[in-house]
Amino acid sequence: MSERLQTGDTAPDFTLPDADGNDVSLSARRGRKVIVYFYPAALTPGCTKQACDFTDNLQLLADAGYDVIGVSPDKPEKLAKFREKEDLKVTLVGDPSKEVLTAYGAFGEKKLYGKTVTGVIRSTVVVDEEGKVERALYNVKATGHVAKIIKDLGI
């Protein structure tokens, strides 16, 4: 199982393709705070609710100095369908190799309906302007999570 990040750790840099196949890098966002959230699969009910919540609050988060990047193991084509179907405004990137998911501690063993399985652990990492982990939240709920982040960050 991959190591979970802790407050103060350097957030692993990444460059991943977005829904249009363009590269998105964490390092390109230096100087801004970034909320990186990890979700299991596009076009599923929980992940749709979470992505819609982020989209609905994107302006509020941006005004507070936060960018939002959603990471899943999906390929860009599926991300594009997800974005179009749900009218998402949040940046979605794909990590089919699961290297970034693993580097962030967001891939490994988890409980699913009482069974232990290996997969994406729904997680959120808040990265500060210098690329350090401000908070790392694991096993978060899809519903209500965005409201909790906004409250916790004092926005």
Side-chain angles (χ1 to χ4, degrees), residues 5 9 11-14 24-38 54 58 61-62 64-71 90-93 104 123-137 149 153 155:
L5 297 175
D9 287 350
D13 193 22
F14 60 81
V24 173
S25 297
L26 181 62
S27 58
R29 297 223 171 13
R30 278 281 147 69
R32 285 190 61 80
K33 293 183 178 197
V34 184
I35 297 170
V36 185
Y37 80 96
F38 300 90
F54 271 116
L58 204 57
L61 291 163
Y66 291 90
D67 291 343
V68 178
I69 301 173
V71 182
V90 65
T91 300
L92 302 173
V93 298
Y104 275 79
S123 312
T124 301
V125 177
V126 180
V127 181
D128 71 14
E129 300 90 341
E130 279 85 51
K132 298 277 189 206
V133 174
E134 190 173 297
R135 353 181 140 230
L137 309 161
I149 290 172
L153 294 174
I155 299 172

Side-chain angles (χ1 to χ4, degrees), residues 86-98:
E86 302 298 336
D87 195 28
L88 301 172
K89 304 292 183 232
V90 65
T91 300
L92 302 173
V93 298
D95 181 23
S97 71
K98 301 175 186 74

Side-chain angles (χ1 to χ4, degrees), residues 96-136:
S97 71
K98 301 175 186 74
E99 285 177 33
V100 175
L101 286 155
T102 301
Y104 275 79
F107 187 82
E109 282 189 358
K110 64 179 184 175
K111 292 273 188 209
L112 190 63
Y113 305 114
K115 292 185 176 161
T116 300
V117 298
T118 300
V120 176
I121 299 162
R122 192 180 302 275
S123 312
T124 301
V125 177
V126 180
V127 181
D128 71 14
E129 300 90 341
E130 279 85 51
K132 298 277 189 206
V133 174
E134 190 173 297
R135 353 181 140 230

Side-chain angles (χ1 to χ4, degrees), residues 17-22 39 41-43 70 72 74-94:
D18 68 8
D20 299 313
N22 299 316
Y39 63 99
L43 299 167
S72 73
D74 298 308
K75 292 191 162 89
E77 303 79 37
K78 187 173 180 187
L79 296 174
K81 282 184 196 158
F82 188 31
R83 181 185 64 196
E84 303 312 315
K85 182 175 186 276
E86 302 298 336
D87 195 28
L88 301 172
K89 304 292 183 232
V90 65
T91 300
L92 302 173
V93 298

